[in-house]
Structures are given as structure tokens and as C-alpha cells.
Amino acid sequence: MRGRDVLLLLCLAVIGLLGTSAFGTTVTYDHRALVIDGMRRLLFSGSIHYARSTPDMWPDLIQKSKDGGLDAIETYVFWNIHEPVRNQYDFEGRKDLVKFINLVREAGLFVHLRIGPYACAEWNYGGFPLWLHFIPGIKFRTDNEPFKAEMKRFTAKIVDIMKQENLYASQGGPIILSQIENEYGNIDASYGAAGKSYMKWAASMAISLDTGVPWVMCQQSDAPDPIINTCNGFYCDGFTPNSKNKPALWTENWSGWFSTFGDAIPHRPVEDIAFAVARFYQRGGTFNNYYMYHGGTNFGRTTGGPFITTSYDYDAPIDEYGLIRQPKWGHLKDVHAAIKLCEVVILATDPVTTSLGPNLEATVYNTGPYLCAAFLANIDTQSDATVSFKGNSYYLPAWSVSILPDCKHVALNTAKINSVTSIPEFVYHSLKDNVDASEAALSSWSWFSEPVGISSDNAFSRNSLLEQKSVTADRSDYLWYSTSIKSVGDEVFLDNGAKTTLQVDSNGHVVHVYINGKLAGNGKGNNGHPKVSIQVPITLAPGKNKIDLLSLTVGLQNYGAFFDLTETGITGPVILRSSSNGSSNIDLSSHQWTYQVGLRGEALDLPNTAGSSSSSSVWTSGSTLPKNQPLIWYKTSFDAPPSRKNHTDPVAIDFTGMGKGEAWVNGESIGRYWPTYIAPNEGCSVSCNYRGVYSPSKCQTNCGKPSQRLYHVPRSWLKPKENTLVLFEEIGGDPSKISFATRIVKSM
Ligand code: GAL
């Protein structure tokens, strides 16, 4: 090592020592990197959202992240799970944010805490609690006093908790970075001048909380100093921060994509992620966070969207069940190791890029003849190339980067995978026969028929059709809209041979039409088109006819300008049409409608009381099990599926045979199930070409199959024997077809 290089390293070390405060770690930044205790740091980070797994999974997920070469874990904070009722906070169990951060600290990793408190994240209502919607005069995410007051109160609450627990790096804790808002710059134009002043207010409110560590705003090119504006996307190598004093940080490198009911499953090839990561560090980046590193599960009714699946697997390096996904995890680990070999020189200097030909680039980090690292990139989407660099020749496959930690030897080419491949599989366990005592045993089923229409004393009436979430406050997915019509004077609708239909227009997301207690038809939307517009053929009887419309939401909108105001439910019109005598219509939209929020079974708290003897009078058993009938609650008990020796194999329920609904194990909701929502036949490719710009529609699988048929049951929710399973089946299904599986990975 030459004298100049030694001097440089010594200087960095001395700055490092000076930067250490007596009580904790200083975190600042300069134009190259985050500076921790005076040392620039090159970091890899990964998103794990604590509420999408269980506390007993956390240590293993964090360890696997560390083993994969991560230095930091990123998580959002989900306001709506922590403050379900205004001023009533909940930080227990899966919501124990402090415990999660302490586990990350114990593993020796840093934390990036994205407080938001708007999260997006395919999380219900973007993370906002529904009560916020009902505050008089409130307007979300703009310069509005009631909103700002609530946002400040919650943000300050989280910062206070972190401070009390000494979790900021400035206090000796692991949190090195915090985020305020989320991608507001993508939509702020829709809010006009008030959007700009809100953004500035959010920035200064965050700074005033005095965390001692930097704040970031992602996708906010005008984030005011000292807030760092950061990049989110599939590629961020073209990103430059808004000041020469700020480093290039990549807060969301999408490792895959989320899936939605009714769509195929997206996959992002690891060669492309590796290429994107290498390109980012090549062009001067020093912090990359994978969104997601472990996606996990949207338990309960936490999915947003609408129509986001219960699985939030995301094709991430660690799969939904907590198992390593290969070769993604391993190849990225190799990429991290190769880039870390260049760390000292990358941090010591600025990159210099030259062209080696069309779509061929060499970037050199050089502080002298002995400290040199290079990245050679072929960004052509088709042609491989051989390039000459510093007197040697290098073969560069299309869409790849070679990393040369000494400017000579290739430590890794992003398109060449050395890591093992592994094939995860589900092993099914017989539940019905209980032939083998070691296998999970399912006892017989009991059931409860959910009444059609209004059954509650709390129902109320209006002469109009109401927006759904304004009525339900999202206490339930379900809202009954009930009315009746007398056929007197409307005989045209009873004419033999006349076609009578009921037109129902809903803003989403699913509608079931009952006429005189019988299911007459239904309709559903999807993620791209949540609205439902159906014409249901119906038959009316002479006299009074009951019309009961069951409308439901499947996760509230989480993204976009004014997303919080997106309407749901049947706002009409609802029109009765007859083809007889030409055509004749009755618009029922301003009839008297009676409303009931939620189901009888929910009011009876069946998911939580099913295991107790007090609820036994509600349930029927012994006679024939109702199958393929709508609106049935089912319950049974089962023994935990076995694990292989020395393993704790994760458990899933396969809901094939069922329609749509929600399931609870020992009172814990494992989420909405919907195995009958099938992905389109088209849009999947047998092979996946990683070369070229990725988009979620590029490498899909699962066409023509259910978007999700297997649902995660965390092991920690299971007892060895006599677990209670409760289902609410909305459309109709055969619970005897349900099966249990455990997930194992075999390496090749
Ligand atoms: C981003 C957003 C994340 C997540 C992601 C897609 O725009 O910041 O919260 O929604 O998209 O998974």
C-alpha cells in the first residue's frame, strides 16, 4: 500500500474516533454515504415488516438477513394496528415494535425506521386508522390542521417510545435512519400549493423531534435540507440526490412484487436484481434496501389494495414462510460480499465512468495504484460482449456487471449464479382419516348458518345508498343493504316470460344479491377495476319481495392522491328492469334501505368463542354437513401437522374446495382466503428472460390457477392437539376438502 493510501485510511479512522460521542453513535452524511461514528459506510438493508410475521419468527428472519450479508433492517410503522381506537395504543405480540428493534440490535444490525405515518405498503388504508376519516374537517396528507395535528401526535409518540428505549443510534441504539411521509412526491402535484406547504411542514415537524439521526423522504425530489431525498424503484442507478452534500440512498429496491386476487404471481429474476444493485454501487450509490427481504403474510384484515392477497411473499429472498429462497438469497449474498470487497475504495473516492463501446461502461474507484476497484457493465439487453480494460479482456454477458475489487480480477458477474438452487415444496398431511396417529387429525365439523339480511337490533335505515366505509368504519368487510318492493302496480315484473333483472352498481369490491332469502347472483372487481356493475336475472313473487345486497370490501385502497376518499360499497344506481312491454325500470336507489354492519357470527364473536363451551349452543353438528352453500360458519378442531425431526416446518392450510371467506386458528385470523379467484390464462411465460428492464408483468407464473390456495398458519399459534379452526364461508365450499401442508426446502 502506498503512503498516500495509508494516510487516507488513517485519516478516515481518526475522523471515526472523533465522531464517536460519549453516549452513542453519531450518524450524519456527506455526498458519498451515511457517516456513522465519522466513518462513511457502505450498507445493504432489507425490509421486514414486523406485523407480517410473528415474534417467534423474528430472530430467525433477522439472522437469515444477517447471514445474507445485510447490515440493516427496514420497517414501516403501521399506525392503524398501534392505535385502532384514538388514544388507545397497542404494542403487544406481533405489534411489539420495540421487541423487534431490540432483536435487530442484538443481531448487531442497524434499523431504518419508516414512521410515515402514511405507509402505502399494500397495507389496509395505507396504514391510516379509519377513525382519522371521521375527524371533522380533516383532509389527509395536505396542509390541513386536523390532519397535521394527528400526524404529529402519532409520529411524536413513536419517536418518544424509541427514545425511552434508547433505540436511536444517537443513544447507543440501532436506528440510524428514519423516514417521514412516503413517496409523497409521486402525487403531491394533485394537492397543489397546499401539498408543497404540507411537505415542508412534515419535514420540519420531523426534524423538530430531534432524533439525532438523519431523516429521509423517498421519491421527494424537493425534500428540504437536511432531509435526504431517496430513490425507490426497480433501478436507481440514474438517481442523483437534490444536493451535492447528500448521498445516493435506495430505500426500496423491489425484490419482486405483490400479488393480488385474480392475478398471476410476479417474479423478479435474481440476475436482474443483482444487475440493478451492482449498477447502483457502480454509479456511486452506497445504501440499498430490498423491499421486501421477507414479505410475510397479511394476517387478519390488514391487506390493502384492494384485492391484495393474504400472502405478501413478494418473491423476496426469504419466502413467506421464513425459508431461504434460492438462488435469490444466495446470489444476492455473493453480490454483497463482492461489493464489500470494494468498500474501502468506494467510500474513499468518487467514481469515474468511461465508455468501452455502445452500452458498455467501465467505472473506476481509484485512490492510487494499489487501491482500485472497477465495475464493468454491459447494459445491452441482448448482446454479450468482450471488452478490453486496463490491458485485460473481459467477457460480459448482456445485462450484467462484473465487479473487480482490485481492478483486475473478477470477483463476481451478476449474471453468473454460483449459489445453490432449491425447490421448496409443500408436504400434505392427511386430516380426515387419522390413519397415522402422528399426522394432523381433524375432527368433525360443526356449523352455523349466517342469516340473510338484517338480523341485528343495531340496523338503521336511510332513503339513499350509502358509501360503505363511512358506515362500517371498516369494523367488518360486510355491509347489508336491504330493501323490499311490493309487486302491486309493478305487475310488469311478474309477467310470464318477461325478463326481470336487478342492476347493481357498486364501487367495490364484491356484491352478493339475495332475492327473498335466496342467492340470485354476485359480482366482484379486481385490483385494477374494483368497481362492480352487474345485471342479475331475478324472479319476483306477488306481494312483498325482499332484496338483500351483501356488499363487501377486500382491503381498503392504500395508494394514490386522495386514496383515502376512494368510495366503496353500493352507491348505486340499483335499478329493477323488465323486458316486458318494451322496457320498464324502477330506480330503487332512493328507496328506503336498511343497513347492518357486519355479520351475526361476528357479533357473536364466533372466531374467539368457538373453542369455549359457552358458544356450543350456537353451533349445529351431527346432521348432514352443509356443502357448497353460501354464508356458513364452520368450525372443527385439529392436531398440529408434524414436523420433520429437528425441524419446525412451517404450516399452511390448502383451501382448495372452499370459495371465499376468512379463517381463524385458535382465535387468530390467518387472513382472507379466496381460492376460487383464478388468475387469467394468459400472461405467464414458461421461461423468464432476465435481460432488459423488468416490470411485474414480465415473469409471472400461476396463470389459470388460483391466485392463492395455501395460507400460512404460524407455528406459534398452534398447540400440539385440539386446535380450533373457524371459517366463515361466503360463497359456498366443501370444508371436508381442506388439507394441511408443511413447507420444506430441498436443495439440489
Ligand atoms: C412503493 C411504496 C411501498 C409499496 C411498493 C410496492 O411505491 O412506497 O410502500 O407499496 O410501492 O410494493
Side-chain angles (χ1 to χ4, degrees):
M1 199 177 280
R2 286 246 304 238
R4 218 182 77 191
D5 296 334
V6 173
L7 198 65
L8 181 83
L9 289 179
L10 270 175
C11 283
L12 286 174
V14 170
I15 297 168
L17 286 177
L18 291 176
T20 311
S21 83
F23 302 105
T25 305
T26 61
V27 186
T28 57
Y29 60 83
D30 65 14
H31 79 289
R32 291 292 296 122
L34 289 174
V35 178
I36 301 179
D37 273 350
M39 302 278 278
R40 286 180 182 161
R41 296 295 299 265
L42 183 146
L43 300 169
F44 295 102
S45 169
S47 297
I48 301 177
H49 297 155
Y50 52 101
R52 285 176 156 145
S53 51
T54 52
D56 74 302
M57 292 170 71
W58 293 344
D60 185 55
L61 295 175
I62 294 165
Q63 188 58 44
K64 283 173 174 155
S65 307
K66 186 175 182 179
D67 294 345
L70 297 193
D71 307 286
I73 301 295
E74 175 277 341
T75 184
Y76 281 121
V77 178
F78 297 111
W79 187 356
N80 52 13
I81 60 169
H82 292 305
E83 200 181 351
V85 177
R86 191 162 179 267
N87 281 320
Q88 287 179 27
Y89 294 99
D90 183 355
F91 290 94
E92 298 296 314
R94 229 163 56 241
K95 304 167 208 135
D96 195 343
L97 176 61
V98 166
K99 178 172 183 170
F100 180 76
I101 295 178
N102 272 321
L103 286 169
V104 178
R105 179 219 295 255
E106 282 162 29
L109 301 182
F110 295 125
V111 170
H112 173 204
L113 192 66
R114 304 172 89 188
I115 301 180
Y118 166 63
C120 192
E122 291 71 68
W123 193 263
N124 195 37
Y125 214 38
F128 286 137
L130 245 289
W131 51 257
L132 213 55
H133 178 64
F134 297 93
I135 290 182
I138 201 159
K139 285 188 184 144
F140 288 17
R141 301 179 78 199
T142 188
D143 200 348
N144 168 273
E145 293 308 323
F147 178 76
K148 290 191 299 183
E150 294 302 317
M151 171 166 164
K152 181 173 181 183
R153 187 177 55 76
F154 183 74
T155 309
K157 168 92 185 169
I158 295 298
V159 168
D160 278 354
I161 293 174
M162 298 301 119
K163 283 188 184 170
Q164 275 161 28
E165 302 286 338
N166 293 323
L167 290 175
Y168 283 106
S170 48
Q171 304 170 293
I175 304 173
I176 53 167
L177 216 53
S178 264
Q179 178 177 298
I180 193 75
E181 252 294 341
N182 189 77
E183 294 191 336
Y184 189 63
N186 288 359
I187 48 110
D188 60 5
S190 310
Y191 295 85
K196 286 289 167 219
S197 50
Y198 160 70
M199 187 277 290
K200 286 188 188 134
W201 167 84
S204 59
M205 182 273 285
I207 299 293
S208 75
L209 296 175
D210 199 17
T211 60
V213 302
W215 286 91
V216 304
M217 281 180 147
C218 58
Q219 296 291 93
Q220 191 75 53
S221 55
D222 53 356
D225 296 345
I227 300 215
I228 310 170
N229 65 306
T230 66
C231 182
N232 293 348
F234 289 112
Y235 307 93
C236 278
D237 52 279
F239 172 74
T240 21
N242 65 12
S243 144
K244 288 203 163 39
N245 303 321
K246 295 177 187 175
L249 310 183
W250 190 356
T251 36
E252 287 185 30
N253 174 357
W254 300 318
S255 59
W257 199 242
F258 57 84
S259 54
T260 56
F261 285 119
D263 288 314
I265 306 295
H267 298 278
R268 184 175 182 200
V270 69
E271 295 94 330
D272 178 59
I273 308 175
F275 170 77
V277 170
R279 287 288 289 158
F280 181 66
Y281 287 82
Q282 169 170 15
R283 303 278 298 266
T286 51
F287 175 98
N288 160 64
N289 176 73
Y290 297 101
Y291 185 102
M292 302 293 296
Y293 199 72
H294 169 256
T297 310
N298 293 312
F299 297 113
R301 298 171 54 247
T302 58
T303 66
F307 293 99
I308 303 292
T309 53
T310 296
S311 169
Y312 198 65
D313 179 84
Y314 220 88
D315 198 29
I318 303 176
D319 77 9
E320 175 179 8
Y321 294 83
L323 302 180
I324 281 170
R325 171 170 279 123
Q326 295 287 42
K328 197 170 257 194
W329 181 90
H331 190 46
L332 294 177
K333 174 186 169 120
D334 293 345
V335 170
H336 305 151
I339 295 176
K340 282 278 166 108
L341 290 174
C342 314
E343 179 175 13
V344 171
V345 64
I346 286 183
L347 294 176
T349 185
D350 294 350
V352 177
T353 299
T354 50
S355 170
L356 298 175
N359 288 332
L360 298 165
E361 266 182 11
T363 298
V364 175
Y365 290 93
N366 193 357
T367 63
Y370 299 102
L371 264 187
C372 180
F375 291 73
L376 307 182
N378 179 358
I379 55 177
D380 198 277
T381 58
Q382 279 159 36
S383 310
D384 298 352
T386 300
V387 296
S388 171
F389 174 71
K390 289 189 186 275
N392 294 313
S393 87
Y394 298 88
Y395 173 69
L396 295 177
W399 206 252
S400 80
V401 179
S402 281
I403 300 168
L404 288 60
D406 58 356
C407 280
K408 200 166 182 186
H409 300 96
V410 177
L412 177 133
N413 175 275
T414 55
K416 189 162 181 294
I417 297 176
N418 293 315
S419 170
V420 287
T421 300
S422 62
I423 310 220
E425 60 181 74
F426 284 99
V427 181
Y428 280 79
H429 300 270
S430 148
L431 294 168
K432 277 174 286 175
D433 307 323
N434 196 16
V435 179
D436 177 347
S438 70
E439 294 202 326
L442 194 69
S443 71
S444 55
W445 291 90
S446 310
W447 63 93
F448 167 76
S449 268
E450 177 68 30
V452 171
I454 308 300
S455 62
S456 153
D457 296 342
N458 296 329
F460 65 92
S461 299
R462 293 282 181 283
N463 288 331
S464 59
L465 290 163
L466 301 177
E467 197 277 327
Q468 182 153 342
K469 72 178 167 330
S470 303
V471 177
T472 63
D474 203 34
R475 281 171 289 156
S476 168
D477 280 0
Y478 300 94
L479 179 62
W480 283 107
Y481 292 70
S482 297
T483 193
S484 58
I485 49 160
K486 282 213 184 94
S487 63
V488 187
D490 300 327
E491 274 69 20
V492 67
F493 294 101
L494 299 174
D495 278 359
N496 273 346
K499 264 213 250 147
T500 305
T501 55
L502 188 69
Q503 175 190 331
V504 181
D505 277 65
S506 159
N507 286 302
H509 306 134
V510 176
V511 175
H512 301 289
V513 175
Y514 285 84
I515 303 294
N516 295 325
K518 291 254 166 339
L519 184 63
N522 41 30
K524 59 182 187 285
N526 61 40
N527 179 258
H529 305 279
K531 292 188 187 226
V532 186
S533 186
I534 45 174
Q535 304 275 352
V536 180
I538 59 168
T539 311
L540 297 180
K544 191 176 164 188
N545 287 272
K546 235 164 93 36
I547 300 177
D548 295 300
L549 309 178
L550 182 59
S551 170
L552 51 136
T553 49
V554 188
L556 297 181
Q557 181 84 19
N558 60 265
Y559 181 72
F562 308 105
F563 76 86
D564 52 296
L565 301 176
T566 310
E567 297 208 322
T568 53
I570 304 166
T571 50
V574 175
I575 302 173
L576 197 59
R577 295 180 187 282
S578 169
S579 63
S580 157
N581 296 338
S583 74
S584 115
N585 301 335
I586 302 178
D587 190 337
L588 302 176
S589 307
S590 30
H591 261 218
Q592 187 184 72
W593 291 89
T594 304
Y595 292 89
Q596 177 185 308
V597 176
L599 307 169
R600 164 80 69 82
E602 289 176 309
L604 293 170
D605 200 13
L606 292 185
N608 285 303
T609 57
S612 75
S613 52
S614 62
S615 78
S616 53
S617 56
V618 174
W619 297 93
T620 308
S621 53
S623 51
T624 316
L625 177 69
K627 290 182 183 169
N628 302 317
Q629 289 178 33
L631 308 187
I632 310 271
W633 293 82
Y634 293 101
K635 85 162 174 167
T636 188
S637 77
F638 65 97
D639 296 346
S643 263
R644 288 164 303 157
K645 207 171 171 203
N646 302 326
H647 284 80
T648 322
D649 297 330
V651 179
I653 298 183
D654 185 332
F655 278 105
T656 304
M658 299 302 287
K660 175 188 184 299
E662 188 173 346
W664 295 262
V665 170
N666 297 328
E668 298 273 7
S669 171
I670 63 167
R672 300 185 184 95
Y673 66 82
W674 201 349
T676 48
Y677 212 151
I678 309 291
N681 287 322
E682 308 299 317
C684 292
S685 48
V686 184
S687 63
C688 167
N689 180 3
Y690 66 82
R691 297 170 195 85
V693 172
Y694 176 76
S695 76
S697 60
K698 196 173 159 186
C699 295
Q700 302 193 111
T701 59
N702 220 44
C703 284
K705 297 190 182 143
S707 300
Q708 189 180 354
R709 68 191 171 92
L710 284 140
Y711 295 76
H712 183 202
V713 183
R715 273 276 173 195
S716 59
W717 293 356
L718 293 173
K719 305 176 277 184
K721 297 215 164 294
E722 289 181 24
N723 298 286
T724 306
L725 172 64
V726 172
L727 314 175
F728 174 63
E729 173 54 51
E730 190 185 302
I731 310 177
D734 179 354
S736 67
K737 295 214 170 110
I738 286 175
S739 49
F740 278 65
T742 47
R743 185 157 172 86
I744 61 168
V745 176
K746 286 186 182 160
S747 33
M748 286 187 8

